Amino acid sequence: MILKELYELTENMLAAAGVEDHRFNTDCLFEDILDADKVTLLLNGDREVPEPDADRLMSAAEKRCSGIPLQYILGKWDFYGRTFFVGDGVLIPRPDTEILVERVLEHFEKAGNSSPEICDLCSGSGCIAVTLKKELPKAKIHAVELSSDAMPYLIKNIQSNGADVKIIKGDITDGRLLENFLDPDDFGEYRKIDGIVSNPPYITDKEMTELSREVKHEPEIALRGGADGLKFYRIISALWGEILKDGGLIAFEIGYEQGEAVRDILRKSGYKNIEIHKDLSGNDRVVTGIK
Ligand SMILES: C[S@@+](CC[C@H](N)C(=O)[O-])C[C@H]1O[C@@H](n2cnc3c(N)ncnc32)[C@H](O)[C@@H]1O
């Protein structure tokens, strides 16, 4: 089959299977699997595609038609201009999370602190931790993650991006994890850090029953945030606030309907200057506070 016929076939397959943005998906599969971008299609559309290549393309298209996310098929996705490996067991980095990173960078720039110590809780692919380290090369960044399935991606993404991020494997709801921050010079006391950032699981139990077929492929541990979706905000604000300096930043990504509830959680935990920031669609997406 020639290239342009294969393109038409793939696009029609994806459209018939109800894949949103089927043309964009087809473009990505062609670029990744056949190294054929739009210009190649225009100039060399009549080129014969070798059968093994066409088979690989078809097999990827069938996966996409069955609802497997495009990012898992490609095995990588971009976040804040850098590439992150993704696949089964790890959440796909979202553009909304870039807003969280921007707010954190903005805070430390305004504070004139180019070497903050920051803890990224629920790190997943490491997109937040790695980006912070690359944008603030003098910062000390910790990435905390529980999932053994996500861990290989976190390690690989730290290495492939050449980011010196320290991994802590464990459950952020377990207070013993704070022992990583015990002060060697002050017995029993914690060393205080400048920032806590997290995009925790925040989907409610009800929303978990209404996920799109693509999101259903992503790990439940990365999504489920308890009955009201707020479990992790309560725990992080109270527990991890223990290691935050006075004047330190706490910054959360939130579900678009959770702004006021998370503001309330931070207020009750004693944080000040609480702000809700919007994403590019005008939805509440990030909440920040100062200890
Ligand atoms: C919403 S994802 C965020 C991943 C990544 N930070 C991002 O923004 O793309 C939440 C992450 O929290 C992890 N997680 C869930 N429960 C956890 C826990 N109790 N302790 C540590 N990590 C946890 C999940 O495995 C998942 O990687």
Side-chain angles (χ1 to χ4, degrees), residues 77-228:
W77 201 241
D78 280 3
F79 179 85
Y80 218 89
R82 298 183 182 85
T83 300
F84 289 81
F85 292 98
V86 293
D88 261 347
V90 73
L91 192 94
I92 299 159
R94 305 291 207 272
D96 289 338
T97 307
E98 294 182 345
I99 309 284
L100 174 64
V101 170
E102 273 167 14
R103 293 289 80 83
V104 174
L105 292 174
E106 195 179 83
H107 168 86
F108 287 109
E109 194 185 335
K110 272 193 196 151
N113 183 355
S114 60
S115 54
E117 183 168 5
I118 305 172
C119 204
D120 170 30
L121 302 174
C122 299
S123 207
S125 65
C127 58
I128 298 172
V130 166
T131 306
L132 290 176
K133 181 63 190 174
K134 297 302 281 186
E135 298 295 319
L136 292 169
K138 290 194 274 174
K140 190 168 181 186
I141 309 288
H142 308 268
V144 187
E145 173 59 47
L146 172 64
S147 160
S148 299
D149 294 329
M151 197 50 61
Y153 294 99
L154 177 57
I155 294 169
K156 195 168 173 185
N157 288 325
I158 287 172
Q159 287 171 349
S160 63
N161 284 289
D164 182 12
V165 170
K166 184 174 179 289
I167 294 176
I168 301 172
K169 185 172 191 306
D171 179 350
I172 65 148
T173 68
D174 181 349
R176 284 173 298 184
L177 230 51
L178 299 186
E179 288 169 13
N180 287 281
F181 296 88
L182 280 172
D183 187 342
D185 301 322
D186 196 354
F187 184 74
E189 293 296 319
Y190 295 123
R191 213 162 37 74
K192 305 277 173 154
I193 67 170
D194 304 284
I196 288 170
V197 55
S198 184
N199 174 18
Y202 57 68
I203 309 286
T204 65
D205 283 350
K206 181 171 176 292
E207 288 164 341
M208 285 300 293
T209 63
E210 301 159 354
L211 297 176
S212 73
R213 62 178 188 159
E214 272 80 8
V215 177
K216 275 188 193 142
H217 283 273
E218 295 190 80
E220 189 174 328
I221 186 178
L223 303 172
R224 197 182 277 281
D228 63 358

Side-chain angles (χ1 to χ4, degrees), residues 6 10 39 42 46 66 68 126 144 201 272 275:
L6 187 61
T10 309
V39 179
L42 213 61
D46 292 326
S66 77
I68 297 180
V144 187
K272 302 183 187 72
E275 287 182 71

